[in-house]
Amino acid sequence: MPDIGTPYDDVFRTMVTDCPFLLIPLINEVFGENYTGDEEITLLQNEHFIKLTDKKLLKKVTDSRIGMPSATSKTYHFECQSTSDGSINIRIFEYATQMAIEDACMEKDHLILEYPHSAVLYLRHNNDTPNNMTVIIKTPGGEISYKVPVIKMQKYSLEEIFKKNLLFLIPFYIFNYEKEFPLMENGNENFQKAEKEFTTIIKQLNNICLGGEISEYTKSMLLDMSNIVIESLAVKYEKIKKGIGGIMGGKVLDYEAKTIFRSGREEGREEGREEGREEGMKNGMVYAYYEMNLQTNEIARKVNLTEEEVLEIIRKKDMQ
């Protein structure tokens, strides 16, 4: 029987697949690395099959496994855990061991197993949640151990997330308010605080997008993934879903910087390789949303174009 995931696992894996570079600042934060973000990233196989005693194969799917061959021979393995169920320690070791076996090599009479650098993201935690999980292996030749760092989502403020460029955590930021949901639904001060913070998220993402640090695609992906998490976590709280979800999926904020950016792009745009890639990505997003039967005004909002521009892209596509 395959592993049963959650919407949060799906969001985690989608971000790793679509925008793996967002993991680099998280790797730097957790493992003390100093990657610049320009490294080549390789998504490694995350499906593993374990042979059971009855010779059947059990499929295991890890949340992420990446390598950066241009910078290092290290591989990194992250798991996303919404609630502690007492089995994450075993699963982490099980996944890591299977990865090590798959990449094992023989040197004369030596079998060499290289374990990945593993970590787990806890979306919820309590006072008993450790900062590290320790794996101890007792062998006939002696005892070895290693630590698996624990990332505690609710320990990160919004300011720290943007300061450290931990954009990968943004879709899960709503977990920081989960305990307050019953009071927020009745409109207490935390609801207003959440509204301000999620409005800040929109503004900050727009700013770094305009500054060229992330693409429109990455920004839209982060907002879409945030909405999926909000919809799932606040399923019983209509006010929160409409209020906070509406901020993340509603209005596109317009301000002077964006107007200047648009004007400059239209007046001085020159067709080139970089611009061609950006335009191709934006066109692809329009096609994808159109095939999902979204209205043109909704597509325009998501990709930061006018409705007329969206209609023109769709028209050209239909003529092909």
Side-chain angles (χ1 to χ4, degrees), residues 200 202-213 219 255 257:
T200 297
I202 295 289
K203 289 180 178 179
Q204 291 281 64
L205 288 177
N206 276 326
N207 283 334
I208 60 178
C209 183
L210 293 175
E213 297 173 53
K219 183 184 78 173
Y255 45 94

Side-chain angles (χ1 to χ4, degrees), residues 231-251:
E231 285 283 331
S232 179
L233 191 62
V235 65
K236 298 179 181 178
Y237 301 94
E238 285 300 318
K239 182 174 181 179
I240 294 170
K241 281 199 302 181
K242 291 180 179 179
I244 307 304
I247 290 172
M248 298 303 283
K251 303 173 184 176

Side-chain angles (χ1 to χ4, degrees), residues 127-167:
N127 293 334
D128 295 326
T129 306
N131 293 323
N132 295 281
M133 298 186 302
T134 302
V135 177
I136 301 174
I137 307 168
K138 295 183 178 181
T139 76
E143 181 178 294
I144 59 174
S145 67
Y146 68 92
K147 293 186 181 297
V148 176
V150 172
I151 310 157
K152 299 176 182 179
M153 178 65 228
Q154 296 167 47
K155 288 289 186 181
Y156 286 91
S157 67
L158 195 58
E159 180 181 3
E160 191 172 12
I161 285 173
F162 280 104
K163 182 179 180 180
K164 295 182 175 181
N165 201 30
L166 301 175
L167 305 184

Side-chain angles (χ1 to χ4, degrees), residues 99-137:
M99 293 174 196
I101 291 172
E102 290 168 1
D103 295 334
C105 65
M106 290 292 297
E107 290 186 5
K108 295 184 178 179
D109 59 344
H110 290 71
L111 172 64
I112 300 176
L113 300 175
E114 184 172 352
Y115 277 67
H117 294 256
S118 298
V120 58
L121 169 63
Y122 268 95
L123 303 180
R124 301 180 179 98
H125 71 272
N126 54 42
N127 293 334
D128 295 326
T129 306
N131 293 323
N132 295 281
M133 298 186 302
T134 302
V135 177
I136 301 174
I137 307 168

Side-chain angles (χ1 to χ4, degrees), residues 6-221:
T6 71
Y8 315 125
D9 294 323
D10 295 340
V11 165
F12 192 101
R13 291 169 185 162
T14 298
M15 290 197 293
V16 170
T17 301
D18 289 358
C19 298
F21 59 87
L22 291 179
L23 272 178
I24 293 182
L26 196 60
I27 291 172
N28 288 341
E29 168 77 1
V30 175
F31 297 106
E33 305 284 13
N34 293 294
Y35 298 121
T36 64
D38 296 325
E39 293 81 7
E40 176 190 353
I41 299 172
T42 302
L43 293 178
L44 303 174
Q45 177 185 348
N46 69 339
E47 292 185 355
H48 311 280
F49 293 88
I50 300 172
K51 186 177 289 186
L52 303 178
T53 53
D54 60 2
K55 297 184 179 181
K56 292 182 179 179
L57 294 178
L58 176 65
K59 181 179 177 181
K60 293 285 186 177
V61 181
T62 61
D63 287 335
S64 73
R65 182 189 180 200
I66 70 169
M68 288 184 281
S70 64
T72 177
S73 60
K74 297 176 182 177
T75 59
Y76 299 92
H77 161 224
F78 285 86
E79 291 294 322
C80 179
Q81 184 76 4
S82 58
T83 303
S84 178
D85 58 9
S87 67
I88 185 64
N89 307 54
I90 295 173
R91 295 204 314 275
I92 284 278
F93 178 68
E94 183 181 56
Y95 295 154
T97 299
Q98 191 63 30
M99 293 174 196
I101 291 172
E102 290 168 1
D103 295 334
C105 65
M106 290 292 297
E107 290 186 5
K108 295 184 178 179
D109 59 344
H110 290 71
L111 172 64
I112 300 176
L113 300 175
E114 184 172 352
Y115 277 67
H117 294 256
S118 298
V120 58
L121 169 63
Y122 268 95
L123 303 180
R124 301 180 179 98
H125 71 272
N126 54 42
N127 293 334
D128 295 326
T129 306
N131 293 323
N132 295 281
M133 298 186 302
T134 302
V135 177
I136 301 174
I137 307 168
K138 295 183 178 181
T139 76
E143 181 178 294
I144 59 174
S145 67
Y146 68 92
K147 293 186 181 297
V148 176
V150 172
I151 310 157
K152 299 176 182 179
M153 178 65 228
Q154 296 167 47
K155 288 289 186 181
Y156 286 91
S157 67
L158 195 58
E159 180 181 3
E160 191 172 12
I161 285 173
F162 280 104
K163 182 179 180 180
K164 295 182 175 181
N165 201 30
L166 301 175
L167 305 184
F168 193 93
L169 298 180
I170 284 176
F172 305 112
Y173 192 70
I174 189 63
F175 275 89
N176 291 20
Y177 283 94
E178 183 184 17
K179 293 179 180 178
E180 302 294 330
F181 278 1
L183 292 175
M184 288 171 62
E185 189 71 3
N186 293 322
N188 79 334
E189 63 273 10
N190 273 348
F191 186 84
Q192 284 74 42
K193 178 185 175 184
E195 284 185 314
K196 289 180 181 178
E197 286 212 310
F198 280 89
T199 299
T200 297
I201 289 174
I202 295 289
K203 289 180 178 179
Q204 291 281 64
L205 288 177
N206 276 326
N207 283 334
I208 60 178
C209 183
L210 293 175
E213 297 173 53
I214 61 173
S215 67
E216 287 284 349
Y217 177 83
T218 301
K219 183 184 78 173
S220 294
M221 184 274 297

